Amino acid sequence: MNGALPLAGRVALVTGASRGIGRAIASRLAADGADVGIVARSADALAATRADIEAKGRRCFVLPLDVADGAAVTEAVKKFAADAGRLDILVNNAGVTKDGLLMRMSDEDWDTVLDVDLKGVFHFCRAAARPLAKSPAGRIVNVSSIVGMIGNAGQSNYAAAKAGLFGFTRSLAKELAGRKVTANVVCPGFIETDMTAGLPDAMKTQSLGQIPLGRFGAGDDIANVVAFLCSDGAGYVTGSVLPVDGGLAIGGFGG
Ligand code: NAP
């Protein structure tokens, strides 16, 4: 039974897996047969995701750390790859927002978002590159945002970090292609998670009107696409930037 699963025998690492999109991705990769390492800032926050993965019969490794701490990431990934015995899939999903208009944006809010959403991805890719290169089918999936593609007033820090992932990931796609490691970006649209729960109702209504498919997304909508990019069937897909947004990036209903 296990042998029939698409990711049987693979080992994945998912950041920002305590809730929301990252939790949906970790759960889906486990359902597809992978053992999964999960990252967030505290082990307590990861307990429910861990229980879910273990209930599916997979090994789960808990890595409590701040993705902005490069030394902690290097050490934890090294230990994880040794404990798990291999590393095949890296999904960089951890992210934060610190919204504010440019004229009022503090250095701290700029730095926090860049340090987590962009530099955190660099930390994990650098630490994971060697073990991924040893996999027969290494996969990197970086979770960006359609805000990186189309911008958003009040999110210049977030847009800069998320757009930075495009060039970063495409460079990795070229660097690591010789090792058969693919690197792709997924750009969620408006997904119902803690990150969007606090937005004003007026903004949600306006956003909904911009989504041709007429609904907000769920974590599973993103997890489905990430699972495909991690599968053997996506072995010829690298350097791609893929919106998963119900059509939000192409605008409203038009004529
Ligand atoms: P969320 O519900 O707020 O979850 C964010 C996750 O990131 C949590 O697991 C959090 O863990 C982790 N995290 C945050 N800062 C961290 C740090 N410094 N170190 C380690 N882990 C950290 O967010 P989400 O909506 O699921 O978003 C997931 C990703 O999708 C993000 O990159 C986000 O930018 C992107 N995205 C989301 C949407 C959307 O509409 N929701 C749209 C486009 C893109 P702890 O807080 O437990 O440490």
Side-chain angles (χ1 to χ4, degrees), residues 99-185:
D99 296 352
L101 295 174
L102 176 67
M103 282 186 268
R104 288 200 290 268
M105 184 169 290
S106 66
D107 283 17
E108 190 187 355
D109 284 352
W110 176 271
D111 289 344
T112 298
V113 171
L114 271 288
D115 284 351
V116 173
D117 295 13
L118 183 57
K119 199 170 182 187
V121 179
F122 157 64
H123 290 150
F124 267 91
C125 289
R126 180 177 60 181
R130 280 194 177 83
L132 285 172
K134 290 183 192 152
S135 168
R139 299 280 187 266
I140 296 171
V141 180
N142 292 331
V143 178
S144 175
S145 167
I146 61 150
V147 169
M149 306 177 90
I150 63 177
N152 195 23
Q155 290 198 305
S156 58
N157 50 358
Y158 184 72
K162 294 301 191 181
L165 291 175
F166 304 161
F168 175 72
T169 307
R170 286 172 169 149
S171 298
L172 294 194
K174 291 184 174 179
E175 272 190 43
L176 300 174
R179 306 298 192 95
K180 298 194 167 44
V181 178
T182 66
N184 293 288
V185 177

Side-chain angles (χ1 to χ4, degrees), residues 18-102:
S18 60
R19 58 180 187 270
I21 294 170
R23 185 167 169 191
I25 293 169
S27 178
R28 171 59 190 269
L29 297 183
D32 282 358
D35 294 331
V36 188
I38 51 177
V39 178
R41 282 167 291 186
S42 80
D44 283 354
L46 290 163
T49 309
R50 177 186 192 160
D52 179 23
I53 290 166
E54 290 179 343
K56 292 181 166 72
R58 310 286 166 251
R59 293 185 299 165
C60 181
F61 303 82
V62 173
L63 287 70
L65 55 79
D66 185 332
V67 301
D69 182 343
V73 171
T74 300
E75 195 181 326
V77 172
K78 197 171 171 187
K79 184 176 184 319
F80 166 67
D83 290 349
R86 58 191 290 165
L87 178 56
D88 306 282
I89 295 163
L90 170 64
V91 181
N92 285 296
N93 163 82
V96 289
T97 52
K98 295 278 179 192
D99 296 352
L101 295 174
L102 176 67

